[in-house]
Amino acid sequence: MEYLLTMTGTSIWETLNLFFLPGLILGVLYLYLTATFDYWLKLKVPFRKPAILFGNFRDLLLFRKSQAEGIKEMYNWFPNSRFFGVFRVRSPILILRDPELIKAIYVKDFSCFTNRGIPVNSQDPLSAHLFNLEGKRWKGLRSKLTPLFSSSKIKRMFYLLAECHDKFEKLIEASGGVVEVRGLAAKFSIDVIGSCAFGIQMNALTNEESEFHRAAKKLSVPSYKSALWRMLRTSLPGVYRFLGVQVINPEVTVFFKDVVSQMIKQREQEGGRRHDFMDLLVELKNKGFLEGDYATGGTAGGDDDDKADDFVLDENIIAAQAFVFFVAGHETSSTTIAFCLYELALNAEIQKKVREEICDAIEAADGKLTYEAVHDMKYLDKVLLETLRKYPLAPILSRRCEYPYEIPETDVVLPAGMRVVTPVYGIHHDPQYYPSPDTFDPERFSEENKATRHPYTFLPFGEGPRNCIGMKFALLQTKIGVISFLRHHKIGINDKTAVPIKFSRRNLVTTSETGFWLTLSSLE
């Protein structure tokens, strides 16, 4: 009997353990995941009830909606609020709606919101680029790289862009018919970046097996895994660092590091100057400063005691900057060109007006594509700005609060570490600022119409000291790409054209899920 009681007692204890321990673990996990869910309630900030594991980002984290669609929906939750709160997993995030508040955070109070809060780990060396770097490292590099993107520097390299334009026109002529224009534009943008940034003839227009072309393909293929890690690394930075996640394709990392190492050795041995991006980086690596006309261009902003000269470049840092210049210059320009052509295919009168302006400007320049001719194409400027308004490639902008910050005209104090997000896509599609926002109307960007809007309702390149450093070059490259398509061809839609366009749910930038299939036909 005693034996049976002992066995029975043991069985009961084991049974209790079987249910108690998992229940305890789940209970602790539940408390951890929901412990912050009363955060915005305590601050009396408008918010929506979050869901466990996902917060308010279920559809985005499960890839049910694109970033653009999810952000637009979120933006419209509280139409009468200057800001509101959300949760990503368990992390509270402040969403901005008021342009004046956006201006305060991105410019007036920039010192409190200097960083984006994107963690970098040693296993992912190419992620340590200008976009992600923080504090003195960011400021030092930004100050050193700014001169490269001056108007005089860009004008000097225009002949390289013109050469790429000439070759691209021939490729377009040979393509004709139904084509996926983003893929075609990508070949042009790869050649431009290779020529202007690195002094390399990549021949991407004719050689799809080039190493750079293969690298671009690996980077442009959307991945659920990498997209998920990019979204989670800002909400779970500790886990990101602990696991040593490598978001960038390892093969691409090895390729860029090897190419940059070889190029540095070649430049140092040969001497001379090609006046390109790599020249600048090699000079900064060896001297720590720039000479001659490179030595001007402004500063990155911030505190005076953050000395830019404290920043030292090594080969890994150079490789990271080369990588981000290649990715940003290639993907953003080709996608913007594709979105622009898509809208022009749907709006024949606007397309005709752009083409007439292009032809008139080139004819006035004796039939040549010159820097001045492109600069004079003001209607094309409006068309590109409206393209970036309707399809901002970055649907959100993000900053991290560096010290306690009291939101102007409120008693709400944000703690250090709080993430503040600007829903660019939502603002760009707010009828309060852009009536009939789904209509493509370049005249929104006439001087008269721009004067009626708050300047911080148009944010395709960010704002403040941390805006896009290559904005001028990107716009020029994109204009030339559009000119190459329109000068001798009409753009139309066909049975493969997605109308309306369907955004990719796996890509963090705004792009098409199915491609940009359009018809190119020669002018009669």
Side-chain angles (χ1 to χ4, degrees):
M1 178 64 72
E2 184 178 345
Y3 174 76
L4 289 174
L5 288 173
T6 302
M7 290 298 294
T8 302
T10 301
S11 299
I12 292 172
W13 179 246
E14 288 177 348
T15 301
L16 287 174
N17 281 341
L18 182 64
F19 290 99
F20 177 74
L21 289 178
L24 178 63
I25 293 171
L26 289 174
V28 171
L29 182 61
Y30 176 82
L31 289 174
Y32 171 75
L33 290 173
T34 61
T36 60
F37 282 3
D38 62 348
Y39 184 85
W40 295 119
L41 180 65
K42 290 179 179 178
L43 290 180
K44 298 180 180 179
V45 171
F47 74 101
R48 276 205 174 183
K49 184 179 179 181
I52 191 170
L53 292 179
F54 303 104
N56 300 108
F57 286 75
R58 183 199 299 271
D59 288 341
L60 294 180
L61 290 173
L62 294 178
F63 303 105
R64 293 174 179 172
K65 293 181 180 177
S66 68
Q67 289 284 305
E69 292 166 325
I71 291 301
K72 180 183 177 182
E73 179 182 291
M74 200 175 290
Y75 175 82
N76 290 325
W77 284 351
F78 300 96
N80 299 317
S81 297
R82 295 172 60 214
F83 54 86
F84 61 92
V86 295
F87 296 87
R88 184 158 58 187
V89 186
R90 68 186 298 273
S91 300
I93 296 174
L94 188 77
I95 306 291
L96 307 177
R97 296 188 87 261
D98 177 26
E100 200 60 34
L101 181 54
I102 294 171
K103 179 180 178 181
I105 285 174
Y106 283 75
V107 180
K108 181 182 176 182
D109 301 318
F110 173 74
S111 61
C112 185
F113 298 94
T114 306
N115 302 316
R116 291 190 170 93
I118 301 176
V120 174
N121 62 46
S122 58
Q123 287 77 20
D124 210 4
L126 294 189
S127 65
H129 49 67
L130 189 64
F131 187 86
N132 293 344
L133 288 178
E134 299 185 346
K136 290 185 178 181
R137 298 184 76 201
W138 165 76
K139 185 184 179 189
L141 189 60
R142 174 86 182 204
S143 296
K144 292 175 183 291
L145 295 184
T146 295
L148 176 67
F149 298 96
S150 67
S151 297
S152 59
K153 174 61 178 172
I154 294 172
K155 185 175 181 179
R156 181 186 300 177
M157 67 172 68
F158 182 82
Y159 77 96
L160 297 171
L161 286 157
E163 290 175 357
C164 293
H165 157 77
D166 292 340
K167 292 187 290 184
F168 189 39
E169 277 197 328
K170 294 177 182 177
L171 178 64
I172 293 171
E173 186 65 39
S175 300
V178 176
V179 298
E180 203 287 296
V181 293
R182 187 201 175 275
L184 207 56
K187 296 180 180 181
F188 167 71
S189 62
I190 292 173
D191 254 25
V192 169
I193 298 302
S195 183
C196 296
F198 309 120
I200 298 175
Q201 295 298 322
M202 293 187 183
N203 297 318
L205 293 173
T206 56
N207 180 16
E208 294 194 12
E209 296 305 313
S210 69
E211 289 291 337
F212 276 94
H213 203 283
R214 287 201 290 267
K217 282 185 176 180
K218 290 174 183 176
L219 291 168
S220 62
V221 174
S223 161
Y224 285 118
K225 180 181 177 182
S226 62
L228 183 62
W229 268 117
R230 283 190 171 96
M231 283 191 284
L232 290 180
R233 67 180 173 181
T234 52
S235 55
L236 299 171
V239 176
Y240 173 80
R241 290 193 179 96
F242 176 77
L243 296 178
V245 176
Q246 188 170 0
V247 174
I248 300 168
N249 187 307
E251 295 178 4
V252 174
T253 298
V254 171
F255 168 69
F256 267 93
K257 290 182 68 175
D258 288 346
V259 166
V260 168
S261 179
Q262 294 172 18
M263 291 174 66
I264 290 174
K265 291 177 182 177
Q266 179 181 342
R267 298 294 176 94
E268 290 176 340
Q269 291 172 359
E270 293 180 356
R273 301 199 66 135
R274 298 184 182 180
H275 301 291
D276 56 24
F277 184 64
M278 192 53 59
D279 262 354
L280 174 66
L281 291 177
V282 171
E283 183 174 346
L284 287 173
K285 170 181 175 291
N286 293 333
K287 297 181 180 179
F289 61 90
L290 301 175
E291 295 179 332
D293 61 349
Y294 284 112
T296 59
T299 62
D303 298 330
D304 293 336
D305 58 352
D306 287 338
K307 301 298 183 183
D309 290 339
D310 291 342
F311 188 86
V312 178
L313 273 73
D314 58 23
E315 284 196 7
N316 281 338
I317 292 294
I318 292 177
Q321 309 327 307
F323 167 77
V324 75
F325 192 85
F326 175 78
V327 172
H330 152 61
E331 185 172 10
T332 58
S333 292
S334 58
T335 304
T336 303
I337 290 169
F339 273 125
C340 181
L341 295 176
Y342 171 80
E343 285 293 341
L344 293 179
L346 295 174
N347 296 276
E349 288 302 314
I350 297 175
Q351 180 184 158
K352 180 181 178 183
K353 187 173 179 179
V354 175
R355 182 180 298 105
E356 288 175 352
E357 180 185 62
I358 290 170
C359 294
D360 289 346
I362 293 177
E363 183 179 350
D366 297 325
K368 297 179 181 179
L369 185 70
T370 64
Y371 179 84
E372 290 74 19
V374 176
H375 187 265
D376 288 340
M377 298 177 190
K378 302 303 181 184
Y379 189 68
L380 178 55
D381 283 335
K382 296 177 188 177
V383 167
L384 287 180
L385 294 178
E386 174 66 349
T387 300
L388 291 168
R389 193 277 307 173
K390 191 172 181 181
Y391 306 103
L393 298 185
I396 65 171
L397 299 174
S398 180
R399 293 291 187 272
R400 185 185 65 206
C401 188
E402 297 303 314
Y403 51 80
Y405 177 79
E406 183 173 322
I407 298 178
E409 301 176 23
T410 75
D411 56 1
V412 176
V413 178
L414 304 179
M418 171 65 65
R419 184 166 297 280
V420 178
V421 166
T422 303
V424 175
Y425 190 89
I427 294 171
H428 283 196
H429 287 77
D430 189 334
Q432 177 183 354
Y433 310 120
Y434 300 99
S436 303
D438 292 332
T439 299
F440 188 81
D441 181 10
E443 289 305 323
R444 298 183 198 272
F445 292 90
S446 67
E447 293 303 318
E448 295 78 12
N449 287 330
K450 284 194 297 183
T452 65
R453 287 192 303 270
H454 196 293
Y456 284 74
T457 58
F458 183 64
L459 303 161
F461 296 102
E463 273 296 346
R466 196 142 193 172
N467 67 348
C468 176
I469 193 173
M471 176 176 61
K472 292 179 182 177
F473 182 86
L475 286 173
L476 180 61
Q477 176 185 350
T478 303
K479 285 180 74 172
I480 294 175
V482 173
I483 291 167
S484 301
F485 275 101
L486 292 184
R487 187 179 175 188
H488 300 298
H489 292 82
K490 289 182 180 179
I491 313 294
I493 61 173
N494 53 67
D495 292 341
K496 297 183 71 174
T497 308
V499 182
I501 208 157
K502 184 179 180 181
F503 293 138
S504 170
R505 293 172 294 171
R506 293 175 292 170
N507 208 315
L508 297 188
V509 300
T510 308
T511 190
S512 171
E513 181 75 29
T514 57
F516 299 84
W517 292 95
L518 300 174
T519 301
L520 304 182
S521 55
S522 297
L523 295 174
E524 297 177 358

